[in-house]
Amino acid sequence: MKRSQQKRITLKSKVIRYMRVSKRIAQSRAALAADCSEAAIGHYETGRMGISEERLTKLIKFYGYSFEDFQEFLKGKPLPVISLKDECVSLLDHIDDTKLRAVHAVLTSFVQ
């Protein structure tokens, strides 16, 4: 299976996404700034594709952060929650199927 077909959401990909979303920058604008496709931005943020140091530096700068900011997040500085829905989806990825059934029942009760 190609890497582009596999999601490997790493801390690095989460930080890249956080930096973009926190500044309310669309993937299309980020793609223009980094001279790549919008799909590539999505792939960087989901771990489907590696990112070169040069492109990473361009994006970090375009997002209004420093490389030092990026390094701090990689070293453990907590990423603030920007989207509660995204945070919940991320948590669901770590729940086993038995517990997930219980979560599903609770969620279903909220929307009926």
Side-chain angles (χ1 to χ4, degrees), residues 34-101:
D35 194 30
C36 64
S37 69
E38 190 173 334
I41 298 295
H43 287 332
Y44 301 145
E45 293 179 359
T46 57
R48 288 185 170 130
M49 192 164 79
I51 184 170
S52 69
E53 288 297 315
E54 180 183 346
R55 186 158 285 149
L56 177 62
T57 302
K58 278 184 185 180
L59 285 174
I60 291 170
K61 194 173 193 176
F62 179 70
Y63 296 158
Y65 287 93
S66 68
F67 199 76
E68 290 74 27
D69 295 326
F70 180 77
Q71 291 293 339
E72 283 182 33
F73 286 120
L74 292 183
K75 290 178 184 173
K77 180 179 177 182
L79 289 171
V81 175
I82 293 180
S83 166
L84 189 55
K85 185 176 182 178
D86 286 346
E87 181 70 14
C88 288
V89 170
S90 176
L91 292 171
L92 290 173
D93 288 337
H94 302 294
I95 297 175
D96 66 59
D97 284 348
T98 303
K99 292 177 183 174
L100 198 53
R101 282 181 180 59

